[in-house]
Amino acid sequence: MAQDDDLIRRVERRTADYIGCIDDDALERWPAFFTVDGLYRIISRENYARGLPASFLYCRGRGMMHDRITALRQANIYEPHVYRHLVSGTRLSREEPEGGWRLHTNFQVIRTMHTGEMVVFAVGFFDDVLVERAGTLLFQEKTVVCDSSRIDTLLVIPI
Amino acid sequence: MAQDDDLIRRVERRTADYIGCIDDDALERWPAFFTVDGLYRIISRENYARGLPASFLYCRGRGMMHDRITALRQANIYEPHVYRHLVSGTRLSREEPEGGWRLHTNFQVIRTMHTGEMVVFAVGFFDDVLVERAGTLLFQEKTVVCDSSRIDTLLVIPI
Amino acid sequence: MAQDDDLIRRVERRTADYIGCIDDDALERWPAFFTVDGLYRIISRENYARGLPASFLYCRGRGMMHDRITALRQANIYEPHVYRHLVSGTRLSREEPEGGWRLHTNFQVIRTMHTGEMVVFAVGFFDDVLVERAGTLLFQEKTVVCDSSRIDTLLVIPI
């Protein structure tokens, strides 16, 4: 019980750093939150529930994540905008048979455009598998499950 | 002080499980978060401040809560939608004279419709009285105080 | 590490009290969250990034803060509304050279008007410098950095 609480607390802090990294536009540091072969994907709640693999975004491994950030920095053809994450309610789902822990955390992302317009961009939960490597918690998997199956085409920045 | 922090931390974890239960649509487990004769109600900030009893929703005891969920499952005439809770800032209000602790927690609920539309459905705070039963924290009272006195008629799922 | 966690946890609790104070409309207690000569300001993300001093709101010292609340109570010419804060992801930025700690916390404010209308009023992060005085954490600086550079003119209540 106290052990679970320590773990949840550590994951909360790790999540705080994770959302800080994105919201501060320090995206070059984003892949380092994952294991070398870590999985990152964004999927709709509907597909998640049905076990369908179709995702809005899919990255396997830090290399693919770095490529994505590089493309984002170079292309730069999208309208400038920033994200602000709010997260809540980290809860332990289960220990993973192959090691690590699965936890869920609710999230909300507010997007602010260059014009100053603010909009609820995405809500849902993180379905995370974390492992410990050299005393640091890393995401072995991060599945961003979005409540809405209609996502804005302007999905450039990771959530 | 450290004791207060332990209590607040435990209530935060309990709240995480509570909102997880609703947002995961595991509503059959919802009544078990309350004591057998627990009180659940949703009330406007205005009525709460004036001490008026009029509420949007009122359940006294687990039986009434189970009935509500059964009705919700069977009727099923409402437009499909899901909730996503964000919570913040759990703070101790006071120890209750009859035992237990009163705590407040800010909340926000984003509702997503089947069409994918997302909307801020409700914001306010939980005015909770928790008691310990066999090592578990249960809600003796959960008053959901909504900032807006105009609530959507589509109030089917508990907040 | 454990020491950092204790500090972050204490700041989270302090922030919970801070947002509770504003959202409960107990604004007369608001200045006491600051040191006697504390700084409070609201600034756009753009100006913050560029190091420009122009702010939406600026208070230096508890006296100026009290004046602001008094003016707000007496003038009363604005349309009645309430705030609801959600906060997330408190993270340590650094120890300050002159003592105290700098931490960042994401925030969102939902404003509810008398008509019942709810709107995302502001999102951004708190850039806080806290110091310990007689066992209590106080804000030496609280810079409210808003993602949007277009702020509603109805900025009466502190964030």
Side-chain angles (χ1 to χ4, degrees):
Chain A
M1 196 70 178
Q3 210 176 345
D4 281 3
D5 190 46
D6 282 350
L7 174 66
I8 290 174
R9 187 73 198 131
R10 286 183 69 199
V11 173
E12 286 175 344
R13 284 196 54 194
R14 199 67 181 133
T15 298
D17 291 337
Y18 177 89
I19 66 174
C21 168
I22 296 175
D23 295 354
D24 291 347
D25 192 28
L27 297 172
E28 280 68 19
R29 295 198 294 107
W30 173 64
F33 283 92
F34 293 82
T35 58
V36 173
D37 63 343
L39 171 69
Y40 176 78
R41 56 177 186 156
I42 305 178
I43 191 171
S44 74
R45 183 177 171 135
E46 204 176 341
N47 283 354
Y48 177 86
R50 292 181 182 176
L52 298 178
S55 50
F56 298 119
L57 191 78
Y58 179 95
C59 289
R60 168 66 79 179
R62 281 186 193 167
M64 221 168 140
M65 295 176 198
H66 276 296
D67 287 352
R68 181 156 187 97
I69 301 306
T70 305
L72 181 161
R73 293 297 192 202
Q74 288 174 349
N76 211 17
I77 52 166
Y78 58 90
E79 202 188 337
H81 62 280
V82 293
Y83 283 174
R84 186 61 53 191
H85 285 74
L86 281 297
V87 292
S88 270
T90 297
R91 48 205 183 271
L92 188 59
S93 179
R94 63 166 187 267
E95 286 199 27
E96 289 297 280
E98 290 144 47
W101 307 271
R102 185 175 294 266
L103 295 104
H104 291 174
T105 299
N106 284 7
F107 75 85
Q108 176 186 22
V109 178
I110 307 290
R111 190 179 66 188
T112 301
M113 304 307 289
H114 195 61
T115 57
E117 191 203 357
M118 291 174 284
V119 68
V120 178
F121 177 61
V123 294
F125 67 97
F126 295 135
D127 175 20
D128 294 329
V129 178
L130 289 111
V131 293
E132 186 151 23
R133 295 282 179 267
T136 302
L137 287 177
L138 298 177
F139 296 111
Q140 177 66 45
E141 283 181 40
K142 188 173 199 73
T143 301
V144 180
V145 183
C146 293
D147 286 345
S148 181
S149 50
R150 193 186 66 185
I151 195 117
D152 197 293
T153 50
L154 189 55
L155 182 57
V156 184
I157 304 171
I159 290 177
Chain B
M1 196 72 175
Q3 210 175 346
D4 281 2
D5 190 47
D6 281 350
L7 174 67
I8 289 174
R9 187 74 198 130
R10 286 183 68 199
V11 173
E12 285 175 343
R13 285 197 53 196
R14 199 68 180 133
T15 299
D17 291 337
Y18 177 89
I19 66 175
C21 168
I22 295 175
D23 295 354
D24 290 347
D25 192 27
L27 297 172
E28 281 69 17
R29 296 198 292 107
W30 173 66
F33 283 93
F34 293 83
T35 59
V36 174
D37 63 342
L39 170 69
Y40 176 78
R41 57 178 185 153
I42 304 178
I43 192 170
S44 72
R45 183 178 172 135
E46 204 175 341
N47 284 353
Y48 177 85
R50 291 183 183 176
L52 297 177
S55 50
F56 298 118
L57 191 78
Y58 179 96
C59 288
R60 168 66 79 180
R62 281 186 192 166
M64 221 169 140
M65 295 175 199
H66 276 295
D67 288 351
R68 179 154 190 97
I69 301 305
T70 305
L72 179 162
R73 295 295 192 204
Q74 288 175 348
N76 212 17
I77 52 165
Y78 58 89
E79 201 187 339
H81 61 281
V82 292
Y83 283 174
R84 184 63 51 190
H85 285 74
L86 282 297
V87 291
S88 272
T90 297
R91 49 205 182 270
L92 188 60
S93 178
R94 62 165 186 269
E95 286 197 28
E96 289 296 281
E98 288 143 48
W101 308 271
R102 184 175 294 268
L103 294 104
H104 291 174
T105 300
N106 283 7
F107 75 86
Q108 175 184 24
V109 178
I110 307 289
R111 190 179 66 189
T112 302
M113 304 306 289
H114 196 58
T115 56
E117 191 202 357
M118 291 174 283
V119 68
V120 177
F121 177 62
V123 295
F125 68 96
F126 295 136
D127 175 20
D128 295 328
V129 177
L130 289 112
V131 293
E132 188 151 22
R133 295 282 179 269
T136 302
L137 288 177
L138 297 177
F139 296 111
Q140 178 65 46
E141 285 182 39
K142 187 173 200 71
T143 300
V144 180
V145 183
C146 292
D147 287 344
S148 181
S149 50
R150 193 186 66 183
I151 196 117
D152 196 294
T153 51
L154 188 53
L155 182 57
V156 183
I157 304 171
I159 290 176
Chain C
M1 195 74 175
Q3 209 175 346
D4 281 3
D5 190 46
D6 282 349
L7 174 66
I8 289 174
R9 187 72 198 131
R10 288 183 67 198
V11 173
E12 286 175 344
R13 285 197 53 196
R14 199 67 180 134
T15 298
D17 291 337
Y18 177 89
I19 67 175
C21 167
I22 295 175
D23 294 354
D24 291 346
D25 192 26
L27 297 172
E28 281 68 20
R29 295 198 292 107
W30 174 65
F33 282 92
F34 294 83
T35 59
V36 174
D37 62 344
L39 170 69
Y40 175 78
R41 56 179 185 153
I42 305 178
I43 191 170
S44 73
R45 183 178 171 134
E46 204 176 340
N47 283 353
Y48 177 85
R50 293 183 182 175
L52 298 177
S55 50
F56 299 119
L57 192 79
Y58 179 96
C59 288
R60 167 67 78 179
R62 282 187 192 164
M64 222 169 138
M65 296 176 197
H66 276 296
D67 288 352
R68 179 154 188 96
I69 301 306
T70 305
L72 180 162
R73 294 296 192 204
Q74 287 175 349
N76 213 15
I77 52 165
Y78 59 91
E79 201 188 338
H81 62 279
V82 292
Y83 283 173
R84 186 62 51 190
H85 285 73
L86 281 297
V87 291
S88 271
T90 297
R91 49 204 184 271
L92 188 60
S93 178
R94 63 166 186 269
E95 286 199 27
E96 289 295 282
E98 289 143 48
W101 307 270
R102 184 176 294 268
L103 295 103
H104 291 175
T105 299
N106 284 7
F107 74 86
Q108 176 184 24
V109 178
I110 307 290
R111 190 179 65 188
T112 302
M113 305 307 288
H114 196 60
T115 57
E117 190 203 358
M118 290 174 283
V119 68
V120 177
F121 176 61
V123 295
F125 67 97
F126 294 137
D127 175 20
D128 295 328
V129 177
L130 290 111
V131 293
E132 187 150 23
R133 295 284 180 266
T136 302
L137 287 177
L138 298 177
F139 295 111
Q140 178 67 47
E141 285 181 40
K142 187 173 199 71
T143 301
V144 181
V145 183
C146 292
D147 286 344
S148 181
S149 50
R150 194 186 64 185
I151 195 117
D152 195 292
T153 51
L154 190 53
L155 181 59
V156 183
I157 304 170
I159 290 177

